[in-house]
Amino acid sequence: MDLILQGFKFIQGLGPAVMMPIIIFLLGVCLKAGIGKSIRSGLTVGVGFIGLNLVIGLMSSNLGPAAQQMIEKYGLTLSVIDVGWPAAAAIAFASTVGTLIIPVCLLVNIAMLLTNTTQTVDVDIWDYWHFAFTGALTAILTGSQLIGMAAAILNMVIVMVIADYTAPGLEKHNGLAGISLPHGFSTAYVPIAWIVNKVIDQIPVVRDINIDLDQIQRKFGVFGEPILVGTVLGIIIGAVAGYEIGGVLTLGITLGGVLVLIPKMAAMLMEGLLPISDAASTFIETKFQNRGKIYIGLDSAVGIGHPITLAVSLILVPLTVFLAVVLPGNKVLPFADLAVIPFMFVLIIPMVGGNGFRALITGIITIASGLLISTNLAPMMTEAAINAHFKMPEGAMAISSICDGANPLTWIIVRLNDFGMIGLGALLVVAAGLAVMNRNRIIKEAKMLHSETTVE
């Protein structure tokens, strides 16, 4: 068992850029896509991830100092430090739940596929840390590693259902055919976006407001293109941060480049996935008639290239710092995770039909609630960090993060366990109910597809 666990820890340490090509290759071979196609697909996906990580790193390395400058300029003094998602992931994987999370989640995914309660083959193994994070905090709250693992499993079940539900919108608005995003952070904001969208639909005049970059680009030409939108937003952020003119212009050009390069890297990644996606569809159609469409589950980084996602995210960077100061009850100083704000919007955008105005309203609500959630979860995350021998930032008494410390789904799952077995039972009922509803939807969809094929 120790040898097996060490093997999974080795896999965790490889990171997605190495793991994904291997997984895609093995998946392609299993689906009979051919050795050559599988190798090319795996390597192309790996290169796509490297490109995405480089551009996202470029964005992070430029937004981070700008955020720090804002914090220093306006004298922000908040007691909980945002240490960022890499620290949160390391803390999650270092927990007892995190040690077992990969084999357990693989078994859960297989069980859901066999019972027809999901359409997603979740190959995004590295991002299982989101489920481990929920489990680790639950274990601290309850004092039980078993309950912690149960919370992590139920978290995954809920996320898989949401990933299936949002996949068609992801294809329509992001052009990601055959892809779903079972990402523990991004999926958590889907219910909020759904509610906000429904509420706005009931408000006259407001419901007619739409910010669509495609329409803006058609109307204003070059002035509506993502490269110019990113540049202008970068200049505004640099000015708010108090940069000198050179720094302002550099940040503007950099963020303009980010808005152009991220979609291109995502397109390359999709190029590698298409043969595998096609092979998966052919395999399912041949072997099963009640399975419906099968999606390849990936990291939500592949979806952040939508221009509205990036534009709204850049607007929210200075707004997040402002909200941190004025929001009653908040103790979190946002910093390291400001660059993950686009990941919040990957699935919000399809839910609001690509409407930038509704995305912005949803974003303000999610950021404000997220700061309060991260404040509430900070004591447990700090304890988890201490248990994992995480080196605390100098002078920090408590830590948290925007990802996943501000995750509303994580917060609900953890806090339900305040009610003991009643809370865990309620969570089990919700997860099971969603899984059954998803199964009914999948079977209905499969029958419709089968009947259409028969007619043709």
Side-chain angles (χ1 to χ4, degrees):
M1 177 59 72
D2 286 341
L3 187 62
I4 293 172
L5 292 178
Q6 287 298 322
F8 281 115
K9 282 188 176 181
F10 173 74
I11 292 172
Q12 290 172 5
L14 292 176
V18 176
M19 284 200 320
M20 290 304 296
I22 297 172
I23 294 170
I24 294 299
F25 167 73
L26 293 175
L27 190 60
V29 171
C30 291
L31 294 172
K32 299 181 180 180
I35 298 291
K37 276 189 177 180
S38 299
I39 291 174
R40 188 181 187 281
S41 291
L43 291 176
T44 304
V45 167
V47 172
F49 262 105
I50 289 171
L52 271 175
N53 288 334
L54 285 173
V55 181
I56 292 170
L58 179 67
M59 180 174 67
S60 302
S61 62
N62 281 273
L63 279 181
Q68 182 65 37
Q69 187 93 347
M70 291 180 204
I71 291 165
E72 293 174 359
K73 181 179 179 182
Y74 300 109
L76 305 187
T77 53
L78 297 164
S79 59
V80 179
I81 305 299
D82 166 23
V83 294
W85 73 265
I91 292 166
F93 274 137
S95 68
T96 302
V97 175
T99 302
L100 298 168
I101 199 67
I102 289 181
V104 168
C105 285
L106 286 173
L107 290 174
V108 169
N109 193 182
I110 291 170
M112 291 186 73
L113 287 166
L114 291 175
T115 56
N116 223 6
T117 50
T118 189
Q119 296 166 280
T120 295
V121 180
D122 188 2
V123 300
D124 184 24
I125 292 174
W126 200 87
D127 272 329
Y128 288 177
W129 77 263
H130 296 282
F131 312 132
F133 185 88
T134 300
L137 296 195
T138 301
I140 287 171
L141 178 68
T142 62
S144 169
Q145 298 296 333
L146 187 60
I147 294 177
M149 183 58 76
I153 291 171
L154 295 175
N155 188 3
M156 181 181 185
V157 171
I158 294 170
V159 165
M160 295 292 281
V161 173
I162 295 174
D164 287 349
Y165 174 74
T166 52
L170 195 67
E171 178 176 355
K172 179 180 178 181
H173 294 282
N174 295 70
L176 300 177
I179 301 300
S180 70
L181 304 180
H183 192 269
F185 182 59
S186 301
T187 53
Y189 299 96
V190 168
I192 297 175
W194 184 84
I195 293 170
V196 171
N197 210 39
K198 292 295 183 183
V199 170
I200 291 178
D201 278 340
Q202 307 307 313
I203 305 174
V205 181
V206 175
R207 64 188 173 204
D208 298 323
I209 300 174
N210 186 11
I211 301 174
D212 186 330
L213 284 190
D214 288 336
Q215 292 181 7
I216 291 173
Q217 185 174 337
R218 286 194 293 269
K219 186 174 182 179
F220 296 101
V222 67
F223 296 102
E225 291 183 6
I227 189 170
L228 196 60
V229 171
T231 300
V232 170
L233 290 174
I235 288 172
I236 292 171
I237 292 172
V240 172
Y243 279 6
E244 297 291 338
I245 185 64
V248 169
L249 294 174
T250 299
L251 185 60
I253 297 297
T254 300
L255 294 185
V258 165
L259 260 68
V260 172
L261 293 173
I262 284 181
K264 293 184 183 301
M265 293 301 100
M268 184 172 188
L269 192 145
M270 281 300 301
E271 178 189 336
L273 284 172
L274 280 176
I276 306 302
S277 179
D278 291 342
S281 298
T282 302
F283 178 81
I284 295 301
E285 288 171 6
T286 303
K287 301 295 182 181
F288 306 98
Q289 292 188 350
N290 67 332
R291 296 288 172 176
K293 190 172 183 178
I294 288 293
Y295 300 110
I296 306 297
L298 294 177
D299 188 298
S300 56
V302 304
I304 69 172
H306 193 288
I308 289 288
T309 298
L310 292 168
V312 172
S313 300
L314 292 178
I315 292 170
L316 279 170
V317 169
L319 271 179
T320 300
V321 176
F322 173 75
L323 284 172
V325 177
V326 302
L327 188 64
N330 174 58
K331 295 181 181 179
V332 175
L333 179 64
F335 170 51
D337 261 348
L338 284 170
V340 306
I341 290 177
F343 289 79
M344 286 184 174
F345 288 93
V346 172
L347 294 177
I348 288 176
I349 298 302
M351 291 303 298
V352 299
N355 187 319
F357 171 75
R358 297 187 181 200
L360 183 59
I361 298 300
T362 306
I364 293 171
I365 293 170
T366 55
I367 291 293
S369 59
L371 288 170
L372 297 178
I373 288 170
S374 59
T375 298
N376 183 261
L377 292 180
M380 279 180 278
M381 182 168 172
T382 303
E383 185 175 340
I386 293 169
N387 293 342
H389 306 291
F390 175 76
K391 186 178 179 181
M392 300 284 285
E394 188 176 347
M397 299 299 293
I399 63 170
S400 193
S401 68
I402 303 300
C403 174
D404 261 7
N407 187 322
L409 180 57
T410 293
W411 181 77
I412 290 171
I413 291 173
V414 172
R415 283 305 174 190
L416 273 175
N417 286 278
D418 281 327
F419 302 97
M421 296 308 294
I422 294 175
L424 185 62
L427 180 62
L428 177 60
V429 169
V430 170
L434 288 172
V436 171
M437 287 174 58
N438 201 36
R439 172 182 164 80
N440 292 337
R441 181 192 60 79
I442 292 168
I443 292 174
K444 182 179 179 180
E445 177 187 292
K447 287 179 179 178
M448 290 177 62
L449 289 173
H450 182 63
S451 62
E452 289 173 4
T453 304
T454 303
V455 170
E456 290 175 2

